[in-house]
Amino acid sequence: MQVVILCGGYGTRLRQETEFRPKPMIEIGNKPIIWHIMKLFAHYGMKNFILCLGYKGFLIKEYFLNYEAMNRDFTITLGDQHHISFHRSHTEDDYQVTLADTGLETMTGGRIKAIEGYLRGDTFMVTYGDGLSDVNLDHLLAFHHGHGRLATVTAVHPLSRFGVLNIEKNGAVTSFREKPRVDGLVSTGYFVFNRAVLAYLDKGPATILEEAPLARLAEEGELMAYKHDGFFFAMDTYREYQQLQNMWDSGSPPWKIW
């Protein structure tokens, strides 16, 4: 099972960090957030990744090109007989990572269409490079294969950005709930797509996955939602980055199931 991760956006709402690096390279617990996302998929045996690069994509390339040297001990022989021997191993030993430049201004659907040539098989997964979850990917895939439609999106109840008040007519507050879960469901990413979904994506940079393609799939009855009741957190702002860092520092981050 191949996993496509969208890594090309500007991350403008997190400019304090993304001025210097792309959002997927922002570190949580001294590891880029994309590393945490990939660890979830690898936990379920999905270790074949395609990263759709755009803004400052060269930094993501450098990270993976230097991965062995930065995560293992090594002995280097200098000069004409230049040679490097790596020692120890790491838990990412059998990852296969394809890094594809998909354009600086390309939208999400255009990025997926651009890597069509790297896709093998009839089913693949797609997610964003800034959202962490503990979603059970085995259950998600079983749901997708069970309903027989072309596409599945993982949906959650989001948390309200604000505390919610229950107020009597006289103004008395009868209850207060700090940032409760709201009733509606929203997309987290963590999509499962049949290859036929690619036909819904126009060539070129302007195609936005979340607009016409998903709307058309829904209208044709080809889009199903897998309801996830567990953890999901998207890092869009500096405050959310700090919240994720605090979760990691607590020693029990809810997305770390590996």
Side-chain angles (χ1 to χ4, degrees):
M1 177 68 64
Q2 290 176 289
V3 180
V4 178
I5 306 180
L6 299 168
C7 301
Y10 284 98
T12 52
R13 287 188 288 178
L14 200 51
R15 181 56 65 187
Q16 299 97 319
E17 295 291 330
T18 57
E19 182 178 355
F20 308 103
R21 51 188 169 176
K23 195 197 291 189
M25 291 303 298
I26 295 174
E27 293 184 349
I28 307 296
N30 297 318
K31 294 287 188 180
I33 191 170
I34 193 170
W35 179 92
H36 295 267
I37 296 168
M38 294 168 78
K39 292 292 282 187
L40 173 71
F41 286 97
H43 177 74
Y44 289 95
M46 304 175 203
K47 301 181 180 182
N48 189 328
F49 300 95
I50 303 173
L51 308 188
C52 298
L53 308 182
Y55 174 69
K56 294 189 181 295
F58 69 94
L59 292 175
I60 301 177
K61 286 186 174 182
E62 287 179 354
Y63 175 74
F64 285 100
L65 282 171
N66 295 320
Y67 199 88
E68 298 304 315
M70 300 307 294
N71 289 277
R72 298 173 66 175
D73 297 339
F74 61 87
T75 300
I76 183 168
T77 301
L78 304 178
D80 293 338
Q81 302 300 316
H82 181 270
H83 178 74
I84 299 176
S85 296
F86 290 103
H87 313 299
R88 300 189 296 108
S89 61
H90 50 67
T91 55
E92 298 75 55
D93 191 53
D94 53 352
Y95 285 22
Q96 180 176 317
V97 185
T98 300
L99 298 112
D101 286 315
T102 55
L104 187 61
E105 303 293 340
T106 307
M107 299 291 102
T108 49
R111 294 191 190 282
I112 298 169
K113 190 70 172 179
I115 54 87
E116 181 174 1
Y118 295 124
L119 292 169
R120 305 290 181 265
D122 293 329
T123 308
F124 61 99
M125 300 194 70
V126 175
T127 198
Y128 304 106
D130 61 359
L132 295 174
S133 181
D134 63 351
V135 59
N136 187 310
L137 298 178
D138 286 342
H139 292 174
L140 170 59
L141 282 174
F143 175 81
H144 177 79
H145 292 307
H147 62 59
R149 313 295 174 82
L150 295 183
T152 299
V153 58
T154 300
V156 299
H157 292 281
L159 294 177
S160 171
R161 291 179 57 204
F162 307 100
V164 174
L165 303 172
N166 287 328
I167 305 174
E168 298 288 350
K169 290 183 179 180
N170 65 0
V173 176
T174 59
S175 69
F176 177 87
R177 291 181 295 157
E178 173 64 6
K179 298 182 180 177
R181 293 174 67 178
V182 299
D183 291 335
L185 292 166
V186 298
S187 167
T188 69
Y190 292 92
F191 299 96
V192 188
F193 289 153
N194 289 5
R195 192 177 186 90
V197 167
L198 295 169
Y200 289 72
L201 305 176
D202 294 331
K203 291 183 179 179
T207 302
I208 301 174
L209 172 67
E210 300 80 6
E211 294 185 355
L214 289 183
R216 182 181 162 199
L217 284 163
E219 289 168 2
E220 296 179 5
E222 293 291 348
L223 178 63
M224 296 288 284
Y226 174 79
K227 296 179 182 178
H228 173 54
D229 292 325
F231 176 81
F232 172 76
F233 198 98
M235 184 183 67
D236 288 326
T237 65
Y238 189 76
R239 184 170 182 271
E240 289 164 344
Y241 155 68
Q242 290 178 311
Q243 287 176 284
L244 285 175
Q245 187 63 60
N246 290 338
M247 291 180 208
W248 182 266
D249 292 342
S250 74
S252 56
W255 68 87
K256 186 179 183 298
I257 63 173
W258 60 86

